[in-house]
Amino acid sequence: MIKFPTHNKKLTDWVEKMARLCEPDDIVWIDGSDAQRQSLEKEAMATGEILQLNQEKLPGCFLHRTAVDDVARTEHLTFICTKRKRDAGSTNNWMHPRTAYRKTKEIFKSAMRGRTMYVIPFSMGPVGSPFSKIGVELTDSRYVVLNMLIMTRSGEAVLRQLEKEDNFTKCLHSKAQLDINKRLILHFPEDNTIWSVGSGYGGNVLLGKKCLSLRIASFIARKERWLAEHMLIMGIEEPNGHIKYIAAAFPSACGKTNLAMLLPPDGLKIKGYRIWTVGDDIAWMRIDSDGSLWAINPETGFFGVAVGTNSQTNPNMMDTIKKNTIYTNVLLKPDGTIWWEGGDGEAPQEGIDWQGRPWRPGMTDSHGRPVLGAHSNSRFTTPILNCPTVSFRLEQHHGVPISAIIFGGRRGQVAPLVYESFSWQHGVFIGATMASERTAAQVGQLGEVRRDPMAMLPFCGYNMAEYFRHWLEMGKRMVKPPRIFHVNWFRTDELGRFLWPGFRENLRVLEWILDRCNNKADALRTPIGYLPFPCDIDMTGLQLPKGILERLLQIHKEDWFEELKGIKKFFRQFKKDLPIELWQEYEALSQRLKSDE
Ligand code: GTP
Ligand code: SPV
Ligand code: MN
């Protein structure tokens, strides 16, 4: 009989039951101490799970390589397991809980033989806050433990909290054989349970993140009347010292991390803006007693995209990841430091690529395609407290008040640089009809445009039509709902080059958004929403070729009539479940486009 460090019987019973299924050699409880983390790092180095990087240049940093076919979230292997199919809705993969448990038990059976089972008690949100949620993840991966220690508040303090409250999400993970044919990411919202097996990649296995904080949390949030969203949260301190907070939903690998920690561009420095980073991926938002929307970031770290991150695009992140960071699937340089495409400096003359093979710049594969040193979804896991612009409000239970919500996608055409909705309901329509080109963050066809409502398509834990209804209702309950905007940093020219320089220059667009919130800027009423007059976007210090800003703000009617067709097709799948308000918004947009001709 092993002695467990808790009196919570529900917890001990469950751990024992899962141990009987997975048959680990040993059970180790994660206490959150430095000493335990360091001994885990040593063990993981000994087994080759992580490689220690150059400790002079990158203190506390490690490199991990995943299996070659385990480099991104696998949406086709991700399921919502509710008793009724309808509760998972038309956009989710569904399996009956009974079938799901039975099938997956077979894969979990004895999967941890010869391994240790780690028990990670973790809290999403400050420990003990009434808005936080507790989870316990069982895993046979030291890499998962080391990542969870960065991404969540975990260890003894959470166990103590579990002496007081009974409720926690039961999260079971095993690498098993890392076999893609025996890989499943299952959510049982009705049992507050997550089962993930056969993967070792971030979003599939750090169960506090997408699985708990989005899929399970969104299910809970609808019942408890709050929102769990795939959003960054940032504060913009205005020259007068007021800080306005915004939340923004962009699909995976579409710029949340970069926006959340941007530094003002040189041309705008004189205005004295200052950015405060609250979160880069997940926002939990509630209506507080003042009738406005308040947001917390339930995480404590960033699991950010490496490729494209450099001292020009995101100097703040380059500072953040200099220490205590775990790099996944990047290139290893001979001096024990790392590099990725779109990173700082020239490509090194030689290195070891993300698959562990010798690499030189200019190498091509058998099809003549360039061999990448780093995987295009290579990432780093780094503590938010490393970030120079980290918000001082991180530990505050109520979080920060949200003035504006921004939706955005990656679209070469159609969507202008920025526009504002006419109302909350119209804003929900804009969010619900968002579309974006697919990125490397999930396995699938790159570049294909798909509808990704509120950037939640892969993360909504229940029927998406009900989710839309919930959004509409939240708006009605607020005294002063945030204004809703849409942005697109990714519009391209005929040659596919970005028209907008993006990154820190995006502050110019945020400035217009804040001005709108403060009733300080005018706007042009168009069929799709309010657009800025080009002269209202401060371009000091940024020289765009003549006519480009106007082009970024142009709306092409033909594109929008096509867009209407896409929206109609998308909405039809929800049948009678789709809130009538969204069809009304569709009709209204259609009418405005027609009568504008
Ligand atoms: P997830 O972590 O997958 O949810 O993604 P994210 O939304 O946080 O994306 P992130 O900020 O990491 O950006 C992903 C990619 O988009 C990186 O390669 C960035 O360099 C690039 N990117 C970010 N912002 C901009 C921008 O304003 N313009 C352009 N052209 N690229 C950008
Ligand atoms: C995303 O894909 O949206 C991510 C990375 O933020 S992961 O945690 O892998 O889902
Ligand atoms: Mn994400």
Side-chain angles (χ1 to χ4, degrees), residues 368-430:
R369 288 181 299 233
V371 175
L372 297 177
H375 188 271
S376 25
N377 190 39
S378 53
R379 296 206 173 230
F380 40 71
T381 321
T382 196
I384 193 165
L385 289 177
N386 277 6
C387 176
T389 56
V390 65
S391 166
F392 54 93
R393 306 273 291 254
L394 221 57
E395 292 300 318
Q396 293 186 7
H397 289 186
H398 283 244
V400 297
I402 298 298
S403 300
I405 288 175
I406 307 177
F407 294 120
R410 184 184 280 267
R411 293 201 83 176
Q413 313 296 327
V414 190
L417 182 62
V418 58
Y419 62 104
E420 184 188 345
S421 67
F422 296 124
S423 63
W424 178 267
Q425 177 172 308
H426 179 226
V428 173
F429 172 80
I430 290 173

Side-chain angles (χ1 to χ4, degrees), residues 97-108:
R98 213 177 319 114
T99 320
Y101 282 128
R102 183 171 17 89
K103 207 170 147 176
T104 319
K105 252 183 202 158
E106 288 307 309
I107 314 175
F108 273 116

Side-chain angles (χ1 to χ4, degrees), residues 9 12-13 66 74 91 99 136 139 146 188 248 260 372 376 379 384 394 434 443 460 484:
K9 181 138 170 25
T12 51
D13 284 355
T66 65
T74 39
T91 58
T99 320
V136 181
T139 180
L146 294 173
F188 303 90
L372 297 177
S376 25
R379 296 206 173 230
I384 193 165
L394 221 57
M434 251 169 76
V443 174
C460 183
I484 299 180

Side-chain angles (χ1 to χ4, degrees), residues 210 230 252 256 281:
K210 301 301 160 105
H230 191 203
S252 303
K256 290 184 299 301
D281 200 45

Side-chain angles (χ1 to χ4, degrees), residues 12-68:
T12 51
D13 284 355
W14 171 68
V15 173
E16 278 174 349
K17 192 171 166 197
M18 294 304 108
R20 278 197 297 277
L21 172 65
C22 302
E23 298 181 32
D25 285 8
D26 201 6
I27 299 178
V28 168
W29 290 68
I30 298 304
D31 59 19
S33 68
D34 285 344
Q36 191 187 44
R37 178 176 46 75
Q38 283 157 4
S39 84
L40 278 165
E41 286 167 354
K42 285 216 179 73
E43 285 172 39
M45 283 191 274
T47 61
E49 280 167 277
I50 58 172
L51 253 149
Q52 191 166 42
L53 292 169
N54 184 324
Q55 292 302 290
E56 246 167 62
K57 293 183 177 159
L58 297 166
C61 294
F62 299 92
L63 169 66
H64 171 77
R65 298 190 190 105
T66 65
V68 175

Side-chain angles (χ1 to χ4, degrees), residues 51-101:
L51 253 149
Q52 191 166 42
L53 292 169
N54 184 324
Q55 292 302 290
E56 246 167 62
K57 293 183 177 159
L58 297 166
C61 294
F62 299 92
L63 169 66
H64 171 77
R65 298 190 190 105
T66 65
V68 175
D69 63 359
D70 194 20
V71 292
R73 281 182 295 99
T74 39
E75 293 177 3
H76 61 295
L77 304 175
T78 302
F79 288 79
I80 302 298
C81 308
T82 43
K83 287 199 192 76
R84 297 187 314 172
K85 184 166 194 293
R86 195 177 157 232
D87 293 335
S90 57
T91 58
N92 279 315
N93 299 316
W94 173 84
M95 225 190 285
H96 193 282
R98 213 177 319 114
T99 320
Y101 282 128

